[in-house]
């Protein structure tokens, strides 16, 4: 049997490429990791070349090339959002006057441009280039990678985001290789757009800093939050059957910025964060409850940027109606290329074994050899700055450094895909001392003072630190979970200081043996089964990819220790 290779491409915000072979994702890389521009937009030229290299094939081996989204704006439109973000009802009424023929013309023009771009880049025929609708790609990414669904049972599939291909939310029944959509929400009634407009209103970046709003929300007084809720309820509600979202009045969420600005003037910033978070949680919980009641299906899978909200995911998982819940790891638009290639595989192969794509890990980027590491270490710009120790057991030395109270970065093995570092491109620190938060921030991360860090916890010790009655098994940091007292003793720096929840990474030996061993050795030395894990990057930059990236961040920050594959690198003054 000839292998079926499909290249998935997302050429919008946070662009990237993925390669699947016979339904298994073998590589996925975000363009930002290569261009070093956070949340890169546009055609992911370097990521495409990278995933083909990781997969060990050239374009002649491709069965199909699948673009995610039938329509995608030009990158200039996505880079300059102010002109279409900071708008109101007057702009909405003017928008309606534009002829539909103009929109159709732009759609066809962009489709031709996108086909031409990939054909010229990698030399494929236009006949193998196809397109997967935006929300179908989100759903396929979640459904075909979910571990909680057997082949012969249905799943309730949900997507929710800002918008894509004219929609912002869908409800589907998934079974085998069939995704049957039963409800959808027009982009004008978008829960995600409300959240992103609030992010901008608070002086932060849309599509990037929403997690900061979520992090501030627990500090708000609930009485004040309740008083402000009508501002949001006057924008959005559930439909009569509860399966979709609907505008409360004339105002579209595409044009709600001016309304939110005027309505929330002189409301405290923490209350604004608290109320948009509460509104989002309530709407999602009610929506999920209605979908389960309608379908009778209690095993849920979900994708789309709104499901990056780990606190909302926690409340959904706690619902008695929900039997199991899987959220696509890093389920924003960076996951679209994964969904596109998986959807096309199951459409053209008629393969009913949906479980071959289930994620056991997310280490889908490139690994670097000892020679690569040596090349980076021999660069003249760093000569004489570091003590460099070659070792056959960098993991044991990493555990030693951590147990002595030092911060250590790790750049080892294949890079993890997605927004969350999972140990191979991470900064690690003993989480039992709250002072380490300030040390991390001042030396390297420069995070906002209210933002919590997250813990990595060994699978064998998980029950000591949190309860998991629904067997969420949070391998990919997609859920917040209430911290037990032992977590607050051992990993206090990895819990939210206000509500004592934590965004856990469960570390399984079979998923990452080296990282799991560091945790095991750390426990042997300290008695603690977890530590703080944060992404290895400077504030405002993407997570590092290569050894050269890692050494650059080390040089520009207060980071003193680096585990670089076969080497331990230490600043001389340390």
């Amino acid at each position: 049997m000839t292998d079926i290779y499909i290249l998935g491409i997302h050429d919008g915000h946070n662009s990237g490429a993925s390669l699947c072979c016979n339904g298994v994702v073998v590589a996925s890389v975000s363009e930002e990791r290569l261009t070093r521009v956070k949340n890169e937009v546009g055609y992911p030229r370097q990521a495409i070349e990278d995933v083909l290299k990781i997969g060990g094939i050239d374009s002649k081996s491709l069965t199909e090339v699948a673009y995610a989204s039938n329509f995608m704006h030009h990158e200039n439109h996505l880079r300059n959002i102010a002109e279409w973000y900071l708008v109101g009802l007057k702009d909405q009424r003017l928008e309606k006057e534009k002829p539909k023929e103009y929109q159709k013309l732009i759609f066809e023009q962009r489709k031709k441009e996108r086909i031409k771009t990939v054909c010229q880049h990698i030399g494929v025929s236009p006949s193998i280039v196809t397109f997967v609708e935006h929300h179908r790609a989100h759903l396929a990414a979640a459904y075909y990678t979910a571990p909680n669904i057997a082949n012969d049972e249905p799943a309730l599939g949900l997507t929710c985001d800002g918008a894509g291909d004219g929609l912002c939310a869908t409800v589907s029944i998934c079974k085998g290789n069939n995704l049957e959509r039963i409800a959808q929400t027009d982009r004008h009634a978008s829960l995600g757009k409300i959240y992103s407009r609030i992010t901008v209103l608070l002086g932060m970046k849309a599509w990037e800093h929403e997690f900061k709003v979520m992090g501030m929300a627990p500090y708000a007084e609930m009485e004040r939050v309740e008083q402000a809720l009508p501002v949001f309820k006057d924008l959005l509600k559930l439909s009569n059957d509860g399966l979709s979202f609907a505008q409360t009045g004339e105002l579209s969420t595409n044009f709600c910025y001016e309304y939110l600005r005027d309505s929330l003037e002189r409301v405290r910033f923490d209350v604004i964060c608290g109320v948009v978070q509460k509104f989002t949680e309530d709407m999602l919980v009610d929506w999920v409850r209605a979908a389960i009641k309608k379908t009778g299906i209690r095993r849920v899978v979900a994708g789309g940027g709104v499901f990056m909200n780990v606190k909302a995911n926690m409340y959904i998982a706690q619902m008695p109606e929900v039997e199991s819940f899987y959220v696509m790891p890093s389920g924003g638009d960076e996951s679209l290329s994964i969904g596109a290639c998986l959807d096309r595989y199951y459409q053209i192969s008629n393969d009913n074994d949906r479980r071959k794509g289930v994620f056991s890990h997310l280490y889908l980027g490139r690994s670097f050899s000892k020679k690569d590491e040596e090349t980076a270490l021999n660069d003249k710009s760093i000569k004489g700055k570091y003590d460099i120790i070659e070792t056959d057991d960098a993991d044991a030395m990493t555990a030693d450094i951590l147990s002595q109270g030092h911060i250590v970065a790790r750049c080892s093995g294949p890079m993890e895909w997605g927004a969350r570092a999972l140990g191979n491109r991470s900064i690690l620190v003993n989480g039992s001392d709250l002072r380490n938060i300030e040390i991390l921030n001042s030396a390297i991360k420069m995070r906002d003072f209210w933002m919590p860090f997250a813990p990595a916890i060994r699978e064998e010790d998980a029950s000591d630190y949190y309860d998991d009655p629904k067997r969420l098994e949070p391998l990919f940091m997609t859920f917040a979970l209430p911290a037990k007292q032992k977590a607050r003793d051992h990993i206090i720096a990895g819990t939210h200081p206000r509500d004592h929840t934590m965004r856990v990474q469960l570390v399984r030996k079979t998923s990452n043996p080296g990282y799991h061993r560091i945790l095991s050795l750390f426990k042997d030395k300290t008695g603690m089964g977890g530590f703080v894990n944060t992404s290895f990057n400077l504030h405002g930059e993407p997570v590092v990819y290569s050894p050269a990236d890692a050494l650059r961040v080390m040089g520009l920050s207060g980071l003193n220790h680096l585990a670089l594959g076969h080497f331990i690198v230490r600043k001389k003054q340390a």
Side-chain angles (χ1 to χ4, degrees), residues 522-541:
F522 178 76
K523 185 180 183 184
D524 290 344
K525 295 172 185 295
T526 66
M528 296 179 287
F531 45 56
V532 164
N533 160 28
T534 188
S535 57
F536 188 1
N537 63 292
L538 295 173
H539 185 72
E541 292 189 0

Side-chain angles (χ1 to χ4, degrees), residues 91-107:
D91 302 279
Q92 177 180 327
R93 289 169 176 166
L94 288 172
E95 178 77 12
K96 286 184 177 179
E97 296 176 6
K98 288 184 179 180
K100 292 183 178 180
E101 291 78 11
Y102 171 78
Q103 294 178 346
K104 184 178 179 181
L105 180 66
I106 294 298
F107 180 94

